[in-house]
Amino acid sequence: MSLDFVILHEDIKVVLQAKTVIQEWLNQVGLELKPEKTKIAHTLEEYEGNKPGFDFLGFTIRQWKVKSTKHGFKTLIKPSSKSIKTHYRKLADICDSIKTASVKVLIAKLNPVIRGWSNYFSTVVSKETFSKLDMLLWKRLWRWVSRRHPNKSAKWVKDKYFPHCKKTRNWVLNDGEYILNQHSDVPIIRHIKVKGNKSPYDGDWTYWSNRIGKYPGIRKEVTTLLKRQKNKCAFCGLTFRSSDLMEVDHIKPKSEGGDNKLKNKQLLHRHCHDTKTALDKKTYTQPKLQDLPENYLWVDDMLILR
Ligand SMILES: [Zn+2]
């Protein structure tokens, strides 16, 4: 088994430091970083002979210089060329393995592979890749069907294997009933960045409550509290985010006679809970829900000043 991971930092010194730390840690547990699989690259420029960008989980992540953005570059994520090749190889192997089967069988074998791969990559910019793959596969299929009828004309082959279907479709393999999926049929869904005071899980109470406890009783309580608090920590007033640890707090501490009813409970960040507990030991004041401090906003995991 291998575990792939990426370390991102703007400073190469930090990246090199991280590598050393990881190396030492892996050595302690009897593992190692394989040098041939460990690469340091810059996302925008060439670094020590390595091209810009890197491949991760089948994606290529890199930046391109452009004049149209504020920073002078933009980030593009695409299926990696290795992933495209492997996928095409798989489709070709299917065609080769069943040279004498019916079109129906071929379509039944190809469709799940096409759908699966396209869905995996549908969140990145791949319209071009999808069309290119459809074209490559089409050429392969044309050979697959032509080989069966060496004495027939191209028109005959077209009419038999690629008849018109669904009005808009032409040149798509089908037998009147079964139709080959096209990579380009899968819509490309862009991620929308979370902005400002919003949490990625706003309104998704089930998600949040699932994070905090396995027991239905606790989950229900957390769901209710999240709704009541509008997804904000009752101590610092900041919106909970996906990576935050939450804890249920007793508004009036039990040590001061506070009860176990929902009315006396609130959700806090774990670190806020620690602070509050420390404060509770001194004086007790009712914490108030607050908004983000003025001029601050969340950008991904950073709190930044506008
Ligand atoms: Zn908090």
Side-chain angles (χ1 to χ4, degrees), residues 201 203-212 219 223 226-227:
Y201 301 100
D204 192 353
W205 315 109
T206 324
Y207 173 88
W208 278 104
S209 55
N210 271 326
R211 287 181 66 94
I212 203 167
R219 271 217 298 270
T223 307
L226 276 169
K227 277 184 198 165

Side-chain angles (χ1 to χ4, degrees), residues 45-84:
E45 274 143 13
E46 206 172 290
Y47 176 77
E48 295 192 342
N50 283 328
K51 283 188 188 148
F54 60 94
D55 287 358
F56 187 59
L57 302 177
F59 295 92
T60 293
I61 295 110
R62 72 161 287 186
Q63 292 167 328
W64 301 84
K65 284 179 188 165
V66 288
K67 292 214 173 90
S68 54
T69 69
K70 203 166 52 181
H71 317 287
F73 62 83
K74 67 182 193 179
T75 307
L76 278 184
I77 304 173
K78 286 181 159 186
S80 70
S81 56
K82 193 180 160 202
S83 167
I84 296 169

